[in-house]
C-alpha cells in the first residue's frame, strides 16, 4: 500500500512542478513546497479512507460478503495511516526532493 502511495505522490508532485513551470495554479495535493500537502500526508490518506474507501467498501461487502477480507485489509491500512504515517511522509520528502 505504501509503495503505491509513494508512487502517487511522485506523480502528483511532478504534475505540480509542471503546472508551476507554466505559471498556472498548482493542483491540490500536488505542491511539493507546502508542508504535508501530498497524497502521502497521513491526514490526506485518512480523509481519503474515511470519505471514499470505507463507505464504498463497507457497502460492497454488504452485497458481497465473501469480500470481507478486502474490508479487513482496508481497516489495517487505515490503522497504519492513523498510527505510522509521519515516518512515511518524512521518507518520501527525503527521497523525492
Amino acid at each position: 500500500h505504501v509503495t503505491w502511495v509513494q508512487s502517487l505522490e511522485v506523480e502528483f508532485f511532478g504534475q505540480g512542478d509542471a503546472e508551476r513551470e507554466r505559471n498556472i495554479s498548482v493542483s491540490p495535493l500536488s505542491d511539493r513546497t507546502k508542508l504535508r500537502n501530498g497524497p502521502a500526508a497521513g491526514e490526506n490518506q485518512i480523509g481519503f479512507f474515511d470519505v471514499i474507501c470505507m463507505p464504498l467498501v463497507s457497502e460492497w461487502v454488504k452485497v458481497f460478503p465473501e469480500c470481507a477480507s478486502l474490508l479487513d485489509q482496508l481497516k489495517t491500512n487505515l490503522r497504519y495511516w492513523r498510527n505510522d504515517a509521519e515516518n512515511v511522509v518524512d521518507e518520501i520528502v527525503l527521497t523525492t526532493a
Side-chain angles (χ1 to χ4, degrees), residues 26-66:
V26 177
S27 298
L29 305 178
S30 299
D31 191 345
R32 74 171 70 241
T33 67
K34 292 185 178 177
L35 184 62
R36 302 192 57 72
N37 177 65
E43 57 271 17
N44 293 335
Q45 281 295 305
I46 292 166
F48 178 67
F49 274 73
D50 285 343
V51 174
I52 305 293
C53 298
M54 291 300 290
L56 177 67
V57 175
S58 295
E59 293 302 313
W60 180 269
V61 169
K62 287 179 185 175
V63 177
F64 302 103
E66 64 274 12

Side-chain angles (χ1 to χ4, degrees), residues 2 5-6 9 13 40 87-97:
V2 172
V5 173
Q6 289 173 334
E9 178 129 296
F13 284 168
N87 295 331
V88 172
V89 171
D90 291 344
E91 179 183 324
I92 292 170
V93 169
L94 291 174
T95 58
T96 62

